[in-house]
Amino acid sequence: MLTRMWARAAVALALACVAASPSLAQPGKQATKQALKHTDQVDLIDRYDGPVLRSIISELGYTISDSDVDSQGRPRMTIEVGGDSSAAFRIVGQSCEGKDKDQVCQGIQLAAQFGKNGDDEKLGDLVDRVNRTLRPAKIFWIDSGLAYERYLIMDGGVSRENLKTNIEVFVEILQAIWDQI
C-alpha cells in the first residue's frame, strides 16, 4: 500500500511538472507559433507598395498608364484593364503619414469613375442593384456621373495573394458595371 501511494505521488508530481511547462505539455506548439509569426511578418504587405503593386498589375495583364502623386501628395497609379473593355481605374495610397521618401500609406483605394452617358433612371437602378448585390462594391453618384470604389485596409498586413485577389475582384465588378452603362 505504501508503494502504491509513492507511485501515485510520483505520477502526480510528474504530471504537475509537465503541466507547469508549456513547452513540455504541448510539444512543438511554441515552435509552430514562432514559425507562423515569422512567416506572416515576412510575406505581408502593410502599406502602399509601388513595386509590389506594379508586379501584381503586370501579372494580371493590365497596363499602368500613369504613376504620380495627387494634389494631397498621395501616391497613385492609373491602370488600364485592356482586352475588350476600355475600362480604367486608379490605385491611390490612403491614410498616409510623412512626406516624400518617409511617407507611409497604410491603405489603398481602388477607384473608377463613369461619366453620365445614359438614362439617369437606368443608372439609378444600376447603383441600387450593385450596392444591394455586390458586397465588395460601393458605387455612388458624383457630379460628373458615377464612382465605384473599394478601400483596402493594410494595417497588420495582407498577403500578396489577398491583395491580388482584391484587385481582380474589383476589376471583375468594374467590367460588369462598364458593360451595363
Side-chain angles (χ1 to χ4, degrees):
M1 178 142 153
L2 189 59
T3 307
R4 204 182 254 176
M5 197 165 109
W6 278 108
R8 286 184 183 165
V11 169
L13 180 62
L15 288 175
C17 288
V18 169
S21 172
S23 61
L24 293 174
Q26 300 170 346
K29 193 168 187 178
Q30 281 188 333
T32 302
K33 282 183 181 179
Q34 288 173 349
L36 286 174
K37 189 175 183 180
H38 175 70
T39 301
D40 288 346
Q41 290 174 349
V42 171
D43 295 332
L44 296 181
I45 303 161
D46 64 351
R47 64 192 58 171
Y48 180 103
D49 186 327
V52 170
L53 289 168
R54 282 183 186 81
S55 174
I56 290 171
I57 296 305
S58 176
E59 287 174 24
L60 292 171
Y62 310 147
T63 304
I64 299 171
S65 61
D66 189 25
S67 182
D68 60 1
V69 296
D70 68 10
S71 61
Q72 297 175 4
R74 299 175 300 195
R76 68 180 177 188
M77 55 180 73
T78 303
I79 315 300
E80 295 177 3
V81 175
D84 296 338
S85 167
S86 60
F89 67 98
R90 279 201 167 147
I91 299 177
V92 182
Q94 296 289 329
S95 300
C96 302
E97 293 182 4
K99 291 188 179 202
D100 302 321
K101 292 183 183 198
D102 293 329
Q103 184 182 54
V104 174
C105 300
Q106 294 184 330
I108 64 172
Q109 182 168 324
L110 309 173
Q113 293 184 4
F114 307 93
K116 290 184 181 181
N117 57 328
D119 178 8
D120 280 358
E121 186 175 331
K122 177 184 170 191
L123 293 177
D125 290 342
L126 175 67
V127 168
D128 291 344
R129 188 172 60 253
V130 166
N131 286 332
R132 189 176 54 251
T133 60
L134 300 173
R135 295 295 177 230
K138 180 173 93 176
I139 188 170
F140 53 93
W141 289 99
I142 57 174
D143 290 338
S144 60
L146 296 176
Y148 162 47
E149 295 180 350
R150 178 153 172 81
Y151 182 78
L152 304 176
I153 299 169
M154 310 293 279
D155 296 12
V158 297
S159 71
R160 187 179 195 288
E161 192 61 32
N162 180 275
L163 181 56
K164 184 177 177 180
T165 299
N166 270 286
I167 293 170
E168 283 180 299
V169 169
F170 179 85
V171 170
E172 287 174 12
I173 294 171
L174 171 64
Q175 290 176 317
I177 294 169
W178 184 262
D179 290 344
Q180 294 180 48
I181 290 183

